[in-house]
Amino acid sequence: MTHNIPQTMGQQHGRRSWAEPWKIKMVEPLNVISREERERALAEAGFNTFLLHSDDVYIDLLTDSGTSAMSDRQWAGMMLGDEAYAGSRNFYHLEEAVQSVYGYRYLIPTHQGRGAEHLISRAVIKPGQYVPGNMYFTTTRLHQELAGGIFIDVIIDEAHDPASLHPFKGNIDLDKLQAVVDAHGADGVAYVSLAGTVNMAGGQPVSMANARELRAFCDRHGLKLYLDATRMVENSFFIQEREEGYADKPIAAILKEFCDLTDGAWMSGKKDHLVNIGGWLAINDEELFEELRNWVVVFEGLHTYGGLAGRDLEAMAIGIREAVQDEHIRSRVGQVRYLGELLTEWNVPIVQPVGGHAIFLNARAFYPQLPQIEFPAQTLAAELYLDSGIRSMERGIASAGRDAKTGDHYYPKLELTRLTIPRRVYTQAHMDVVAESVKAVYDARETTRGLKMVYEPKYLRFFQARFERL
Ligand code: F0G
């Protein structure tokens, strides 16, 4: 494994810059409201960026989910939607794309990633079983818990340290995994839950070597290895860049090799696949497929549309092919890295190394004066919106929620504010504006006060919780 992380992609080729492998055909005007209007909008939204109206937002970095710009090919594909209830031709296009790009045998379409998480959790978790995974994701863990599973974090320790420069901070610690099997037996483990580029850790990748070790571990213990493939194309880019022997392999080949080590995957097409809606579940086991194909008609829709229109299936089938083009993924991650480099140069504390889909501001380092229960990352998201109308997302104690058994808050080590970059949407000049606003908020950090939660929904509270200034 090489630990070489080039920080400026352009410099790999002397003084030549990289640029996006597309040009812009249609634009969507942006709106900027005044500081006074933003104060009012934020108070009405209970200091929660999820509750803002998007018309009140200037640059929207809430999420990279469903916010991509589609290509002219994808839009053309939308016009070829076959809206038959059963057996739509677009389903077969999608099936063919997933089989050939990801390599799994059987496909179940779902309306988005959490639809797939629901189905697989319900089908394979027995109540009381443990689900070891490389850090939690909000919806993934909740579906595992609703199915009676108990999530255990087995990611390497470096993932919890925003300053660690480990090149594969998404890796699973095999000793931690072994300890789970020793304590509960292989029968007590539902499956190993592996996510490509770990969202909550900062978009950090998993190495091919780690996936290979996990495969061998699972084979030894008779366990299944299921993959959250949501940002697995981005993960493949980091393998190509950082892992010995992969520099000359195409992204598509790396992705396929990785997926071949797993027994199945669930997918939020709203990320890597460059679409506004869509997801899927794909597996190799025929018996499990029969069961899932039965469940999908109960919760999502018939097994050839899974809650999507034919045109959505077509856009996703085309997006899958575009997503694995080397030039696409290089410019996608390159733009995220450009923003990260500016902030690093200005000594703003962010999670290092910069991940695949977002910059994660280290809110603890912004506001050492705020205890975690005063929601430093939520506070930072609010301040950023007030400064410039940029919308970001809390990924700290509010997102972590409460322990279902004890009712206590989870206190995650990472208290982060995410600036998530939509794919093919904003320009480098937008990234400059974002960096400058973050810097202004950082410069005003010492006088910033925290928040208290005044309304708390029971599930995935961060989406709808309300706060007030202390
Ligand atoms: N897995 C990961 C790693 C995700 O990031 C998401 C969604 C999902 C599963 C669920 O997929 O939204 O299609 O139901 N992440 C979005 C985000 C919401 O903003 O990070 P979904």
Side-chain angles (χ1 to χ4, degrees), residues 102-148:
Y102 288 82
Y104 301 112
R105 223 167 289 153
Y106 302 111
L107 177 75
I108 309 269
T110 60
H111 78 284
Q112 61 182 85
R114 69 199 70 178
E117 290 170 342
H118 172 211
L119 298 181
I120 192 157
S121 301
R122 174 178 279 271
V124 304
I125 298 172
K126 295 195 200 90
Q129 278 187 319
Y130 288 83
V131 188
N134 53 345
M135 205 174 265
Y136 82 103
F137 184 70
T138 53
T139 58
T140 316
R141 183 179 67 190
L142 182 58
H143 279 297
Q144 290 164 348
E145 289 173 351
L146 289 172

Side-chain angles (χ1 to χ4, degrees), residues 34-70:
S34 68
R35 168 107 197 178
E36 293 69 44
E37 288 170 313
R38 289 200 293 275
E39 301 263 8
R40 191 156 30 81
L42 189 65
E44 273 169 22
F47 290 83
N48 185 346
T49 52
F50 279 103
L51 300 179
L52 289 166
H53 294 211
S54 77
D55 280 344
D56 294 333
V57 171
Y58 170 35
I59 297 176
D60 201 347
L61 307 185
L62 184 71
T63 178
D64 63 330
S65 182
T67 53
S68 295
M70 292 207 296

Side-chain angles (χ1 to χ4, degrees), residues 50 62-65 111-115 117 137-140 195-199 228 230-231 266-271 277-279 357 393 395 418 420 463:
F50 279 103
L62 184 71
T63 178
D64 63 330
S65 182
H111 78 284
Q112 61 182 85
R114 69 199 70 178
E117 290 170 342
F137 184 70
T138 53
T139 58
T140 316
T197 71
V198 179
N199 193 349
D228 181 339
T230 296
R231 297 185 187 82
W266 65 91
M267 178 78 199
S268 170
K270 302 173 74 172
K271 283 76 163 180
I277 193 72
H357 67 304
M393 181 192 291
R395 294 276 80 155
R418 189 180 74 173
T420 338
F463 283 128

